[in-house]
């Protein structure tokens, strides 16, 4: 299948790996991974997550990248090329980033706001009670920062695959990696004595994070941790949202897919691990175990208080942290937008610029609506999984809890039982390259992954109660 020049391609393996890793390393790693790890007992969650990355994650990542490279098509059209009756999977896969992009840019705008605060030395105000809720419920500011963030994302996508996405990733990813390692090491050196005279250290927080606690283990707890880790994988490796199909379509035929996938797995897992290493010990030192149960507010509510408690150096660390989070968020939002833009280019034969402008206008309108969901359009809606939600939460639930598991299970059925695993294996081994985990792949895509995904979907829909 010929690749049209207008689509572009990555220059080689390094460009592809850094772009794919950049997509994977986003707010899911920096924000969601640490609070799930804290909630689920640290080491136990890490153990489950690592096992799932090497099995389940590897299977979906390999499948989607291979589909993209084999078809040279975006997610909207690639599945129909694989099998004429699979066009519906492509529509669902493309719908995921369409839903995610507006609210992801809204959250990206929040990150930009905090970065601006710490850059100007005002970290103390971000640590005040009620600051975060007051900010997101205000009228204009969240919209302005969201628009700026969306503009940065669109600029990279309009520049193209090689000059935009690849060049952007090659610069940002090494910086991001060194920032996250540096902040992690610093957090391990922290110690703090509270009003009761109790001294807590970063190394004690490290033990909580990495050492599994089996003291009160039950089947229900293991199942909860397993489902949490499985759900986190979608955020962490950017599967079931069309991104890896789109990026795979830009990979040249002489690239060793297995080596690339292994490198993406390693890079993503290291960043996720260091994100927890950066956040959990610091929160434990200054706020104890209670602070670690802050949930999704860990990054925007708990961490500013931690940085403030560090004294003058806290503003510097806060600046470096939110700079790093900004980089991580941008590399992911670029990939989310690219999945939609590439789909429009392939389906409707539009230019990259025109497709990107249309997507940007859509994301702008929907992003404003998401921001207004915290003030003029505020409402509370009870989701099937029992949580209360408003506009952003509903969009997140539809995309991440419903559509992504559905796309993943349908993809496994298509490859495992429709066109057969040989379709993917032939693409991976093209050029004489070895597929070292071929047997594992076949077992996972045909049997284990579909069952796991159905369990996740049933839990998300509230049919299975944890």
């Amino acid at each position: 299948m010929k690749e049209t020049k207008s689509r572009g391609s990555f220059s080689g393996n390094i460009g592809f790996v850094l772009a794919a890793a950049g997509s994977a390393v986003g707010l899911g790693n920096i924000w969601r991974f640490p609070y799930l790890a804290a909630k689920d007992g640290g080491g136990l969650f890490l153990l489950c997550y690592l096992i799932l990355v090497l099995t389940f994650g590897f299977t979906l990542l390999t499948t989607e990248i291979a589909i993209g490279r084999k078809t040279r098509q975006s997610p909207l059209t690639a599945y129909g090329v694989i099998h004429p009756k699979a066009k519906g999977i492509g529509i669902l896969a493309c719908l995921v980033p369409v839903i995610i992009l507006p609210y992801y840019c809204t959250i990206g705008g929040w990150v930009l706001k905090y970065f601006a605060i710490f850059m100007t030395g005002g970290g103390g105000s971000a640590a005040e009670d009620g600051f975060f809720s007051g900010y997101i419920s205000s009228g204009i500011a969240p919209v302005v920062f969201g628009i700026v963030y969306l503009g940065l994302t669109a600029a990279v996508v309009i520049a193209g695959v090689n000059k935009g996405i690849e060049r952007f990733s090659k610069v940002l990813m090494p910086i991001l990696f060194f920032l996250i390692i540096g902040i992690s090491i610093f957090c391990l050196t922290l110690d703090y004595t509270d009003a009761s005279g109790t001294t807590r250290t970063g190394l004690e927080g490290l033990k909580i994070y990495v050492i599994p606690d089996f003291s009160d283990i039950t089947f229900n707890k293991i199942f909860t941790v397993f489902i949490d880790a499985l759900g986190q994988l979608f955020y962490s490796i950017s599967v079931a949202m069309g991104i890896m199909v789109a990026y795979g379509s830009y990979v040249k035929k002489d690239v060793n897919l297995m080596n690339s996938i292994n490198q993406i797995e390693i890079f993503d897992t290291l960043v996720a691990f260091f994100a927890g290493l950066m956040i959990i010990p610091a929160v434990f030192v200054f706020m104890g175990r209670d602070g670690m149960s802050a949930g999704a507010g860990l990054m925007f509510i708990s961490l500013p208080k931690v940085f403030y408690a560090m004294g003058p150096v806290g503003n510097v660390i806060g600046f470096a942290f939110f700079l790093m989070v900004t980089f991580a968020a941008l590399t992911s939002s670029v990939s989310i937008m690219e999945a939609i833009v590439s789909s429009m280019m392939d389906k409707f034969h539009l230019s990259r610029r025109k497709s990107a402008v249309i997507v940007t206008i859509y994301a702008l309108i929907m992003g404003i609506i998401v921001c207004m969901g915290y003030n003029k359009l505020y409402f509370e809606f009870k989701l099937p999984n029992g949580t209360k939600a408003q506009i952003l939460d509903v969009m997140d639930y539809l995309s991440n809890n419903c559509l992504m598991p559905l796309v993943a299970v349908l993809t496994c059925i298509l490859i495992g039982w429709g066109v057969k695993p040989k379709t993917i294996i032939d693409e991976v081994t093209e050029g004489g390259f070895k597929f070292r985990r071929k047997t594992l792949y076949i077992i996972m895509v045909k049997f284990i992954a579909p069952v796991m995904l159905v369990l996740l979907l049933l839990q998300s829909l509230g049919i299975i109660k944890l």
Side-chain angles (χ1 to χ4, degrees), residues 49-335:
Y49 181 80
L50 185 60
I51 292 171
L52 288 171
V53 165
L54 296 174
T55 54
F56 176 85
F58 153 76
T59 302
L60 287 184
L61 199 58
T62 301
T63 301
E64 295 196 3
I65 291 173
I67 286 175
R69 193 175 77 164
K70 183 177 183 64
T71 62
R72 286 288 189 249
Q73 293 287 302
S74 62
L76 183 59
T77 52
Y79 286 91
V81 174
I82 290 291
H83 194 288
K85 293 183 178 180
K87 292 179 181 178
I89 304 177
I91 294 172
L92 292 174
C94 189
L95 187 58
V96 174
V98 167
I99 296 173
I100 291 177
L101 182 62
Y103 77 77
Y104 198 98
C105 287
T106 298
I107 299 173
W110 300 349
V111 175
L112 269 185
K113 169 67 175 180
Y114 275 70
F115 169 66
I117 289 174
F118 280 91
M119 183 175 65
T120 55
S125 60
E128 294 175 1
D129 291 336
F131 176 85
F132 177 63
S133 59
Y135 169 70
I136 64 173
S137 61
S138 63
I140 301 300
V143 174
V144 171
F145 278 96
I147 291 172
V148 172
Y149 182 90
L150 174 61
L152 293 172
T153 301
V156 177
V157 173
I158 290 173
V161 178
N162 186 272
K163 294 182 179 179
I165 298 169
E166 181 174 346
R167 186 177 294 176
F168 179 73
S169 300
K170 281 183 175 179
V171 173
L172 256 60
M173 290 309 294
I175 297 173
L176 186 154
F177 197 61
F178 284 116
L179 276 173
I180 199 169
I181 290 176
I183 298 172
S184 299
I185 293 172
F186 173 80
C187 288
L188 292 180
T189 67
L190 295 171
D191 64 84
Y192 177 73
T193 302
D194 62 21
S196 66
T198 302
T199 300
R200 295 183 294 270
T201 68
L203 290 177
E204 289 174 334
L206 173 64
K207 290 179 181 178
I208 293 173
Y209 179 46
V210 300
I211 299 176
D213 181 10
F214 298 109
S215 58
D216 58 344
I217 200 74
T218 63
F219 175 79
N220 192 54
K221 181 177 180 180
I222 292 176
F223 185 69
T224 300
V225 175
F226 170 80
I227 291 294
D228 282 348
L230 182 58
Q232 173 60 27
L233 267 180
F234 288 102
Y235 292 88
S236 287
I237 60 176
S238 294
V239 291
M241 57 180 79
I243 292 171
M244 290 304 169
V245 175
Y247 276 13
S249 72
Y250 301 133
V251 179
K252 295 177 179 178
K253 288 290 186 178
D254 60 354
V255 170
N256 186 331
L257 283 189
M258 257 315 59
N259 283 350
S260 299
I261 289 165
N262 291 340
Q263 290 162 13
I264 294 167
E265 283 181 301
I266 292 169
F267 204 110
D268 172 73
T269 303
L270 281 176
V271 170
F273 173 77
F274 278 112
L277 193 63
M278 177 175 56
I279 293 173
I280 292 176
V283 172
F284 171 76
V285 166
F286 291 100
M287 305 181 75
R289 286 184 177 270
D290 292 339
M292 293 170 62
S293 62
L298 198 63
M299 186 165 76
F300 293 113
I301 299 173
S302 298
L303 276 179
K305 295 181 183 296
V306 169
F307 296 141
Y308 181 72
M310 291 179 183
V313 73
N315 206 86
V316 177
I317 299 300
F319 165 77
F321 174 80
F322 282 104
L323 174 65
M324 180 269 303
V325 177
T326 300
F327 286 173
L330 279 171
T331 55
S332 289
S333 58
V334 163
S335 67

Side-chain angles (χ1 to χ4, degrees), residues 101 337 340-341 344 354-364:
L101 182 62
M337 181 178 281
I340 311 170
V341 168
M344 293 186 67
K354 186 175 290 186
S355 300
V357 169
I358 293 171
V359 173
T360 301
I361 292 171
Y362 154 76
L364 174 62

Side-chain angles (χ1 to χ4, degrees), residues 9 24 31 143 178 197 254 269 329 331 338 340 372 404 412 416 419 435:
S9 64
W31 181 12
V143 174
F178 284 116
D254 60 354
T269 303
T331 55
E338 178 61 25
I340 311 170
M372 291 175 65
M404 285 165 65
C412 288
V419 299
F435 194 165

Side-chain angles (χ1 to χ4, degrees), residues 5-51:
K5 290 183 179 180
S6 61
R7 296 192 84 254
S9 64
F10 293 117
S11 62
N13 180 61
I14 294 177
F16 165 57
V17 169
L18 287 177
S23 168
V25 176
L27 292 175
N29 288 67
I30 309 299
W31 181 12
R32 198 170 186 268
F33 187 94
Y35 87 73
L36 282 178
K39 179 178 83 73
D40 290 333
L44 182 59
F45 177 84
L46 285 179
L47 181 62
C48 285
Y49 181 80
L50 185 60
I51 292 171

